[in-house]
Amino acid sequence: MAHLERTPQNHNLAWALCLLGLLAFNTAIYRPMFTRQEFPYRGSIEAGYAATARFVAEHPNPWGWNPQSYAGQPTQFTYPPLLPYASALVQWLTGTSALWATRWVVVGMACLAAPLLALAFAWMTGNRVIALLLGSLFSYASPAYGFFGDVDGDRGIFYLPWRFQTFAKYGEGPHLTGLTILILALAALIWGARRKDFPSLFLMAIGLAAAPLLNWLAAFGLTICVLLLWLTNPRWIPRIFLAGLLAYALAAFWLTPDYVFTTALNWPKDAYEYKVDSRGWLLYVGLVAALLLARLLLWALRAPWEVCFTSLATLAFGWVAGGFYWFNRDTLPESRRYALEFELFLLAAAFTWLAWRWKKSKTLGRVVVVAGLLAVMGGGSAQLVKSLRRGWSDWRMMQAEQTVEYQAALAIHDHAPRGRSFVSGGTRFHFNAFFAFPQVGGTFESGLRNRIAVDYQYQMTTGEGSRPGQDTEDARRQMMVLGVGQVVTHGPASKEYYRDIRRPEKFSEFAEATLDLTAHDKLYRLPFYGFAHLVKPEEWPANRYIDTLGPLAAAIADPARPKLQWVELSPSHYRIEGSFPAGYELFVSMNDDPGWEASQAGVKLAKGKSPLGLLRLLPAPANDAAVELRFHPSLQQQAGGALSALAWVGSLFLCLLSLRKAPATARNLMSS
């Protein structure tokens, strides 16, 4: 019996139970984060991800058109697909709302991170005890609170790990999920880089493809890690490079050149106008020099590859995050957000060093290692104790229906909305998570080819860019151009977090009706003229600036012109019905895009060049005619889809072939 208890099978069973226990521990202490209630932090953009997931669940075509935000954009350009489609799957299976489905996916993946980190660490070092200690500490401790004063000041009254706090407070769901993806992708890369078979290469490619299909921050973090793996062991470069080529083929259905180029150009704009200047180059040169120097030092110490990699990753992400928090300098766009990766690799590096010294040391050295482990675990446990003592009651979570954001969205729903809604602040993040009505704003702007809705939203909110004394008239014209039928405003004493409309009373000057939602929140019903209008060529503005919109606004409001009926057949298919007199063009308050195709009586219509970036069509003169407007996938999307289909089918076939050969090879070896 004693012999049986020491068999590898029993050791593996005990190890599996420990990992399951670690998962249960994470699920237990973060169980309140699975709640169906709203977190108390009202500035979070969590609902914006749910809005995308809600649309995808209702319209899963990745190559369709999403009309619900920013005057419309291709579904592909709304947000990378992994989180929205995973949330959509949960919605289909459980029937729950998009808001809670998205949260369950994020928190569930976050709880998986600690056991996966422990599993990967044990595989790298062979030390399961230290791996469990690492997973336990990662579950509840945040070194960032000690390293960065601004992070500690931002945590509030709780010592939740910073990665969970960024989700609860700011809605960093994809980034939190990205840490789990990063652990899996790195484990697959390191495992596959040392093999030669195709199934391992396929697994490496899936890991590399998952990060950019989740979000760009995860992709950037994984890219840095890949470069550090090459620096750690240059022999891995060819294998990882091949996996990268296959990864792009697997993800090409989404990561088309147009998509990559558009988001790459927009990301610096959305990252607080990130720019590379002379001081930025010093940061880059300093980082490269520090990494090379550290690599030489580690080589001199003959440190194993896992110690080298985790140490270099700690240095790289510490340089990026520390540059922001200590010196207010951005090495990368949104450098502050890489504090999560810094924490992950700082803990991993500390424990790989301890595992290495344990393996190399005798009795006295191991006593020192144990003392180090106790010190690290004890310091981290203080954070857990403080949070557990407070409990979750101080969070003051509430039902979504009690929030002012939901009440504003419900008021629009109940009062027969016309056209787009202009909602600002936290309401615009929540709006489409609750209801499928189009709005001027949205949450994610990195995929926009035309930023007119963003620009006009900013100007209508702040009043900046308006002519002196013409703020109200300028807002009226912009509302007409964007097809707005109602506005919600939040006064200075509103419970809405942002309250970012500086002069909300201006909308009352041209509203048809006003509804008081609360004492500080109002719904204004505006004159709505439709989404499609007849316009003479000379009435088009010379540019998108406010002072050139007068003739177009007058044409939209002209009662003498034939009115056109706008019929939505699907988010990607519309019909415009009415009379089209000679000498008039057709203005549609929807973003232009190469995927749009218009036809009249079966004849394709030409598109004119629009200074606003909105649709400008050239219909043929006709009475009681109809213009069909359909959105089609681009040639790049079709080619990318074909490439991805070929890559997935071919890879699965090669994996099956490899697996069929493996038993035959094993039998031949045994017989010989």
Side-chain angles (χ1 to χ4, degrees), residues 123-461:
W123 168 70
M124 288 191 304
T125 65
N127 195 317
R128 292 179 174 180
V129 173
I130 294 181
L132 284 175
L133 293 177
L134 169 61
S136 300
L137 188 63
F138 182 71
S139 298
Y140 57 76
S142 261
Y145 292 142
F147 277 85
F148 309 127
D150 288 346
V151 170
D152 187 49
D154 202 18
R155 66 174 169 80
I157 60 176
F158 287 93
Y159 271 105
L160 281 176
W162 182 236
R163 66 187 188 279
F164 279 101
Q165 185 74 345
T166 58
F167 171 59
K169 192 168 188 177
Y170 299 111
E172 286 266 24
H175 194 185
L176 182 57
T177 307
L179 286 183
T180 306
I181 297 295
L182 180 62
I183 294 168
L184 288 169
L186 286 175
L189 283 175
I190 295 167
W191 176 71
R194 298 187 292 184
R195 298 172 63 90
K196 295 182 179 181
D197 58 294
F198 184 81
S200 62
L201 184 72
F202 182 44
L203 192 61
M204 294 168 67
I206 292 175
L208 287 172
L213 292 177
L214 178 67
N215 80 335
W216 283 115
L217 205 69
F220 228 72
L222 181 58
T223 301
I224 293 171
C225 290
V226 166
L227 295 175
L228 296 178
L229 282 175
W230 288 355
L231 183 59
T232 298
N233 193 335
R235 290 178 295 177
W236 293 347
I237 292 178
R239 182 83 169 162
I240 295 178
F241 181 75
L242 287 176
L245 293 178
L246 179 57
Y248 180 76
L250 297 175
F253 71 98
W254 201 277
L255 304 181
T256 60
D258 272 351
Y259 174 81
V260 173
F261 183 74
T262 300
T263 52
L265 287 181
N266 276 326
W267 193 20
K269 298 177 187 176
D270 301 328
Y272 303 97
E273 293 294 335
Y274 170 81
K275 292 182 176 66
V276 177
D277 55 24
S278 57
R279 288 182 294 178
W281 284 109
L282 290 176
L283 287 171
Y284 306 142
V285 173
L287 175 58
V288 172
L291 288 172
L292 291 176
L293 183 62
R295 184 65 185 95
L296 288 175
L297 179 61
L298 291 164
W299 175 79
L301 293 173
R302 297 187 178 182
W305 70 266
E306 64 270 14
V307 171
C308 292
F309 171 67
T310 55
S311 300
L312 294 175
T314 302
L315 174 59
F317 289 109
W319 185 285
V320 172
F324 176 83
Y325 284 113
W326 293 329
F327 306 107
N328 198 31
R329 297 297 304 170
D330 271 321
T331 308
L332 302 174
E334 301 181 282
S335 294
R336 70 192 186 284
R337 297 172 70 182
Y338 292 97
L340 302 190
E341 283 78 6
F342 168 66
E343 285 193 329
L344 170 66
F345 286 109
L346 176 64
L347 292 175
F351 278 77
T352 50
W353 276 89
L354 290 170
W356 177 40
R357 296 323 303 166
W358 176 270
K359 185 184 297 185
K360 300 289 288 185
S361 302
K362 301 297 183 182
T363 303
L364 181 60
R366 292 191 171 188
V367 170
V368 174
V369 171
V370 171
L373 286 170
L374 291 175
V376 172
M377 298 298 295
S381 64
Q383 295 183 9
L384 178 65
V385 171
K386 290 180 180 179
S387 286
L388 291 178
R389 282 177 178 173
R390 294 203 68 96
W392 294 82
S393 59
D394 289 344
W395 270 47
R396 300 184 301 277
M397 290 181 281
M398 66 186 80
Q399 298 295 330
E401 292 76 13
Q402 297 174 328
T403 64
V404 66
E405 295 90 352
Y406 179 83
Q407 293 166 6
L410 182 63
I412 292 175
H413 171 272
D414 290 345
H415 288 81
R418 303 174 301 174
R420 292 191 178 90
S421 298
F422 178 56
V423 290
S424 63
T427 304
R428 70 184 172 101
F429 303 143
H430 286 76
F431 187 66
N432 291 128
F434 298 133
F435 300 107
F437 299 132
Q439 63 162 311
V440 173
T443 308
F444 311 109
E445 300 159 8
S446 297
L448 291 176
R449 287 169 164 164
N450 181 26
R451 299 179 70 91
I452 188 171
V454 176
D455 296 340
Y456 282 6
Q457 175 182 264
Y458 175 77
Q459 292 167 4
M460 288 187 289
T461 300

